[in-house]
Amino acid sequence: MKIDTPKDTPTHLLENPKQWITKVGKFLRKTSLDELPQIINIIKGDMSIIGPRPALWNQYDLINERDKYKANDVPVGLTGWAQINGRDELAIDVKAKLDGEYVKKIGFVMDCKCFFWDYC
């Protein structure tokens, strides 16, 4: 992100998100290399590999919507069902519903679908 990007604002709430993303940032985001530091959180046990992506502290709309589906009651993850089905392009209600589907189907098979989706 560029230095003058509005602080503490989720990408989906920016008026024109593309104007704030640098070329390097676009590459890192597209390749998900920006997620590598979260491996530390997985090793520490603060998050899992698969689960709903953690909401930002100020994403009250997402947090409230996920409550309807009990998606805030499971450990957050590096990737999840909503991520592989649209990532940031999804509307909040759709993202929360997909996170809820993950919660209903949580288990080895669902985790494998989330983990290997890009390779199938």
Side-chain angles (χ1 to χ4, degrees):
M1 301 297 273
K2 294 182 180 174
I3 293 173
D4 56 341
T5 304
K7 302 282 187 249
D8 295 329
T9 305
T11 306
H12 74 280
L13 293 180
L14 292 171
E15 190 171 318
N16 180 10
K18 291 182 181 180
Q19 78 178 7
W20 305 107
I21 301 172
T22 64
K23 289 180 183 181
V24 172
K26 185 177 179 180
F27 172 77
L28 290 173
R29 185 76 231 126
K30 186 173 180 140
T31 59
S32 294
L33 289 173
D34 60 326
E35 303 291 348
L36 286 177
Q38 292 191 26
I39 291 173
I40 295 167
N41 293 325
I42 293 169
I43 292 168
K44 286 177 24 182
D46 294 339
M47 67 187 305
S48 63
I49 295 172
I50 310 295
R53 289 286 297 153
L56 296 175
W57 66 272
N58 59 354
Q59 286 183 300
Y60 303 112
D61 50 352
L62 177 59
I63 294 166
N64 291 335
E65 195 67 25
R66 281 180 173 170
D67 274 339
K68 296 177 186 177
Y69 302 101
K70 302 194 184 308
N72 292 322
D73 298 342
V74 297
V76 296
L78 184 62
T79 190
W81 193 237
Q83 299 321 111
I84 62 171
N85 283 290
R87 213 179 216 169
D88 289 333
E89 293 81 29
L90 297 173
I92 295 295
D93 60 328
V94 175
K95 187 182 290 190
K97 188 174 184 178
L98 288 167
D99 287 335
E101 284 180 29
Y102 172 78
V103 171
K104 284 184 183 176
K105 299 176 182 178
I106 199 166
F108 182 74
V109 172
M110 186 60 157
D111 285 355
C112 285
K113 283 182 184 180
C114 293
F115 192 81
F116 293 110
W117 184 267
D118 289 334
Y119 306 106
C120 297

